[in-house]
DNA sequence: ATGACGATTTACT
DNA sequence: GTAAATCGTCATA
């Protein structure tokens, strides 16, 4: 099935969009479209339906807790609108979008997308790990490491500027209505003591593509 | 040099 | 529900 071009009128989001705190940015990202252009020009894209905010040096769940700065997380200190892509569990990549201003290490983890373009290619990328006949559309991008696999995003994209990069960026379009955004505790940060319960995970209510529905 | 640990996903009981 | 997969990164020495 051919991908449609219904988003063709949308414009890439610029620096001004990203220049805000990570909580605000996480809200604002819901409903926007993450776009990955492959080397052959194929567009893979999905509507962001789930994101988490990591609020910086005081956040025990953040890689930048206590202003920790290493080769791995250096991208968190870049200006707003850059990508922070890291490798974890020996096999998975996760993508963040840096918020705020340079040297303020806050970011939003992109946790789920509703696929909109290039579903067949995403399926092929994902089917290398799962039997193709078991794959449903809701299995393609319903998790932070699933979506990077589906969109072929790895550490080669760590530190790229989403406001200028030709192969990875976010397009505008309608953001999610405030009334349909649900807040809850972040996933997989049980080690973060009191920060584990902060409602910094945001997702679109009843959307079947979020990592943990209902 | 070494050891412990993941901002996860998948398969299996 | 539990556990395995799998290895770069980081803290400690």
């Amino acid at each position: 099935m051919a991908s449609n071009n219904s988003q063709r009128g949308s414009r890439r989001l610029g620096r001004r969009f990203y220049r805000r705190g990570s909580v605000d940015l996480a809200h604002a990202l819901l409903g926007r479209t993450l776009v990955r252009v492959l080397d052959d020009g194929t567009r893979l894209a999905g509507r962001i339906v789930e994101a988490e905010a990591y609020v910086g040096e005081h956040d025990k769940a953040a890689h930048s807790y206590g202003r920790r700065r290493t080769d791995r997380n250096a991208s968190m200190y870049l200006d707003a609108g850059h990508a922070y892509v890291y490798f974890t569990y020996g096999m998975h990549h996760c993508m963040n979008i840096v918020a705020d201003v340079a040297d303020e290490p806050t970011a939003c983890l992109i946790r789920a997308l509703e696929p909109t373009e290039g579903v067949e290619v995403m399926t092929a990328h994902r089917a290398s790990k799962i039997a193709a006949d078991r794959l449903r559309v809701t299995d393609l991008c319903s998790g932070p490491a699933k979506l990077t696999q589906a969109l072929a995003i790895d550490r080669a994209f760590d530190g790229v500027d989403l406001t200028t990069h030709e192969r990875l960026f976010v397009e505008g379009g309608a953001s999610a209505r405030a009334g349909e955004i649900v807040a809850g505790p972040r996933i997989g940060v049980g080690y973060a003591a009191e920060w584990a319960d902060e409602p910094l995970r945001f997702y679109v209510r009843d959307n079947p593509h979020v990592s943990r529905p209902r």
Side-chain angles (χ1 to χ4, degrees):
Chain A
M1 167 182 337
S3 58
N4 69 63
N5 294 334
S6 61
Q7 297 294 314
R8 204 40 51 102
S10 297
R11 277 218 305 270
R12 169 201 297 260
L13 295 169
R15 192 77 62 205
R16 236 179 300 254
F17 174 82
Y18 299 103
R19 192 170 301 297
R20 59 177 109 194
S22 56
V23 173
D24 282 353
L25 182 59
H27 277 86
L29 283 169
L30 296 181
R32 316 290 184 174
T33 300
L34 178 65
V35 181
R36 164 79 166 100
V37 181
L38 300 181
D39 289 345
D40 68 1
T42 302
R43 266 176 65 105
L44 305 181
R47 177 174 174 252
I48 298 172
V49 295
E50 179 181 352
E52 284 178 351
Y54 287 82
V55 301
E57 61 187 289
H58 303 297
D59 182 356
K60 290 183 179 176
H63 293 162
S64 55
Y65 176 60
R67 288 196 73 81
R68 187 170 68 135
R69 183 175 193 160
T70 65
D71 286 344
R72 180 206 204 197
N73 74 350
S75 296
M76 292 190 80
Y77 291 80
L78 295 175
D79 197 4
H82 285 77
Y84 166 42
V85 181
Y86 67 90
F87 183 70
T88 189
Y89 289 102
M91 64 192 96
H92 297 303
H93 294 279
C94 293
M95 175 184 170
N96 294 255
I97 297 178
V98 178
D100 220 332
V101 296
D103 205 45
E104 201 62 48
T106 66
C108 298
L109 172 67
I110 308 303
R111 285 195 57 92
L113 306 175
E114 178 178 324
T116 56
E117 298 178 56
V119 169
E120 286 201 339
V121 175
M122 290 188 206
T123 301
H125 288 167
R126 291 278 295 137
S128 58
K129 292 258 174 129
I130 306 182
D133 57 346
R134 294 201 142 215
L135 260 185
R136 294 163 297 184
V137 184
T138 51
D139 293 322
L140 292 181
C141 299
S142 54
K146 294 179 185 178
L147 70 92
T148 57
Q149 184 182 27
L151 301 199
I153 296 168
D154 60 22
R155 290 214 61 189
F157 291 90
D158 182 40
V160 305
D161 186 350
L162 301 178
T163 69
T164 58
H165 201 274
E166 297 190 358
R167 308 220 176 267
L168 186 65
F169 49 90
V170 181
E171 286 181 343
S175 62
R177 291 181 298 103
E180 64 179 350
I181 296 176
V182 182
R186 291 172 292 185
I187 305 295
V189 295
Y191 56 84
E194 73 273 17
W195 283 89
D197 298 321
E198 287 295 307
L200 296 174
R201 172 187 181 226
F202 307 101
Y203 59 94
V204 177
R205 185 190 308 279
D206 295 331
N207 187 287
H209 299 274
V210 301
S211 62
R212 296 183 185 186
R214 274 151 261 249

